[in-house]
Amino acid sequence: MTPDAAPRCPHRRRWLSALVATQLAAGVWPPLASAAACDDAADWVPPDAFLADLPRLMQALRVPAIGMAVVERGDVVWSRNLGVLNAQTRTPVADNTLFEDASLSKPVFAYLVLQLADQGVIDLDAPLVRYRRMDYLADHPWTDLVTARDVLRHSTGMPNWRKDPANEKLVPAVKPGTRIDYSGEAIFWLQLVVETLTGESLDASMQRLLFGPAGMRDSSYTWNTDLATRSVYGHRAVDDEGHGMPPQMLRDTWNAAQTVAERWGKPLSAWRYEDAQRALPEVQAITPKGLVNWPGDILANAAASLRTTPTDYARFMALMVRTQREPWQISEATRTAMLTKQIDAPGRWTDKGLGWNLEVTPRGPVFYHSGSNGGIFKNFALGDARGRRALVALTNGGSGNVLYRRVVRAATGHDLLAFDL
């Protein structure tokens, strides 16, 4: 490689310039592998030189574990898990280690909703109140306008999460369909609509319609003893000066709910909203005040509670980029809609599809989603439908977002605006 080669990959110029200056000073030229991803013909498996350096980066950023997987030509071709589940116990990760996917839960749930739309079970443009009006919804005309399409493209006008869900009504701040407001609350409401339409819990629907057919055997939105044992713990960001393990949030609430589930003889995977309502007083009686505040705290959450292996999430990503379809999958027209801009929002450099974020790069369009739970789990998934390839990186550290950006840049050559805007 020569200095003249750098402009062929303009999105990496600043990185290359800094790297070249540093390594020239040391009398060392950058390895070829560091720029291999600039070649669109190259695969998205991270270069060997980068992987060799990854433990150093993890240590510097205090990210105890990372799991990665790559899809090429519509198939999962590579995966790698590094590190430990828990920085205190030092239990090493394994192939079946589960990561807390956080908001990467949302595109997977969107796929389920679109399966139901293809089957005629739900109309994406019908008001959700036609299917289910929750008692915590505000009596407001804008509430009656929210549709499943609004939910999946984040145009409901609803907040991400209410500050006091036990006492605060959920209401749009603007008329639905007029602007983008990222909302986990809206996803959760749509989840409860799906409960009504299918007559089963979220996890039951996911296992029946998606996880089972896709071979995602290590995926669940819920919790049990086996999932607990195999799941990573979250850790503080590198600039967090706190001591010890941080509160684990979902793990803490799930463990309490598991106690009630065992007493009832009804697994959490089978719980619906009414079960969580009934269990709430029992769970609150055995947890610190403020940990569990409303039924949504102890129910599978389509917006945030998915846990998978990196390989399982890559199996889902393969569905998004694979052109050959099976009968149980969403139609090609629906897949295209997922990856097509669904709302005009002036002044934005990224767009919203159905369940996915979209960005046009110098090398073509990509779709992506990030995930962050409690500031201690940071994840990213990136796909190129045209190239039939995808990458997923899951971490258990608060600075995992810094780490996964390095993974994306090294593996794909993409330096997304989404990383900075």
Side-chain angles (χ1 to χ4, degrees):
M1 178 178 174
T2 67
D4 293 335
R8 292 188 303 172
C9 197
H11 52 284
R12 292 166 65 92
R13 284 176 184 165
R14 285 188 301 170
W15 176 82
L16 282 171
S17 297
L19 181 64
V20 168
T22 301
Q23 296 201 349
L24 280 180
V28 180
W29 193 253
L32 288 173
S34 66
C38 292
D39 179 6
D40 283 331
D43 63 37
W44 278 8
V45 176
D48 289 342
F50 176 81
L51 292 174
D53 192 42
L54 193 50
R56 180 183 70 89
L57 302 177
M58 294 168 64
Q59 184 176 11
L61 295 169
R62 290 186 3 204
V63 177
I66 184 170
M68 302 161 288
V70 172
V71 174
E72 291 287 345
R73 299 171 297 281
D75 292 312
V76 181
V77 298
W78 179 89
S79 66
R80 182 76 56 86
N81 290 350
L82 298 173
V84 296
L85 275 72
N86 183 315
Q88 293 184 344
T89 65
R90 310 300 299 175
T91 303
V93 295
D95 289 343
N96 68 345
T97 292
L98 301 172
F99 287 80
E100 190 167 310
D101 294 348
S103 286
L104 295 194
S105 305
K106 294 178 174 72
V108 180
F109 174 66
Y111 194 96
L112 172 74
V113 173
L114 294 172
Q115 285 178 297
L116 296 175
D118 277 353
Q119 296 169 13
V121 175
I122 187 171
D123 181 344
L124 295 182
D125 298 305
L128 290 191
V129 292
R130 178 185 301 178
Y131 301 110
R132 185 167 187 174
R133 178 186 284 275
M134 303 306 299
D135 58 6
Y136 60 78
L137 293 171
D139 184 12
H140 192 285
W142 286 345
T143 303
D144 297 345
L145 300 179
V146 174
T147 67
R149 188 181 303 277
D150 285 321
V151 173
L152 298 182
R153 68 186 183 183
H154 291 285
S155 61
T156 64
M158 291 179 167
N160 190 16
W161 299 107
R162 288 168 291 162
K163 294 181 179 180
D164 184 12
N167 301 296
E168 181 183 348
K169 293 291 186 180
L170 181 62
V171 61
V174 298
K175 184 178 179 180
T178 60
R179 78 178 189 193
I180 293 174
D181 291 273
Y182 187 77
S183 178
E185 289 274 13
I187 294 284
F188 188 72
W189 178 18
L190 181 55
Q191 169 189 334
L192 302 184
V193 166
V194 169
E195 272 191 6
T196 297
L197 295 175
T198 63
E200 57 192 1
S201 68
L202 170 65
D203 215 53
S205 294
M206 296 301 310
Q207 297 293 342
R208 176 173 60 88
L209 295 173
L210 179 54
F211 295 162
M216 298 170 65
R217 294 178 295 276
D218 293 305
S219 298
S220 177
Y221 277 87
T222 185
W223 192 252
N224 59 39
T225 302
D226 173 62
L227 297 173
T229 300
R230 293 194 284 137
S231 292
V232 297
Y233 286 72
H235 298 77
R236 301 181 191 277
V238 70
D239 58 353
D240 185 335
E241 297 180 356
H243 298 286
M245 295 292 288
Q248 295 297 301
M249 299 184 65
L250 283 181
R251 179 182 286 270
D252 296 339
T253 57
W254 280 132
N255 283 339
Q258 179 68 19
T259 301
V260 176
E262 291 174 353
R263 185 184 307 146
W264 288 1
K266 185 173 186 176
L268 290 171
S269 60
W271 280 23
R272 297 169 61 184
Y273 188 75
E274 291 75 13
D275 297 302
Q277 283 181 307
R278 182 163 67 96
L280 184 62
E282 294 185 55
V283 176
Q284 288 178 321
I286 58 175
T287 55
K289 185 177 180 180
L291 178 63
V292 176
N293 299 294
W294 76 302
D297 287 336
I298 52 174
L299 188 67
N301 191 316
S305 72
L306 178 63
R307 58 194 65 245
T308 68
T309 60
T311 300
D312 258 17
Y313 204 92
R315 289 189 175 102
F316 168 67
M317 294 297 285
L319 300 179
M320 294 307 310
V321 301
R322 187 182 299 148
T323 54
Q324 186 175 359
R325 323 301 298 161
E326 298 291 339
W328 59 269
Q329 296 175 29
I330 59 175
S331 68
E332 181 59 24
T334 300
R335 184 181 75 104
T336 299
M338 283 192 82
L339 305 180
T340 300
K341 183 170 72 170
Q342 293 290 315
I343 182 172
D344 287 322
R348 291 182 62 90
W349 289 92
T350 60
D351 291 305
K352 295 292 184 183
L354 294 175
W356 288 108
N357 301 299
L358 312 173
E359 182 172 325
V360 177
T361 78
R363 292 160 56 207
V366 296
F367 62 94
Y368 69 92
H369 212 291
S370 61
S372 175
N373 268 5
I376 57 177
F377 299 99
K378 298 295 180 81
N379 312 304
F380 198 76
L382 174 70
D384 173 0
R386 183 184 61 180
R388 295 190 299 153
R389 54 180 36 166
L391 169 72
V392 58
L394 310 176
T395 81
N396 65 341
S399 296
N401 57 322
V402 181
L403 186 63
Y404 71 56
R405 290 169 188 169
R406 287 176 172 264
V407 173
V408 170
R409 291 172 181 135
T412 73
H414 285 296
D415 192 5
L416 301 178
L417 279 171
F419 290 160
D420 303 304
L421 295 178

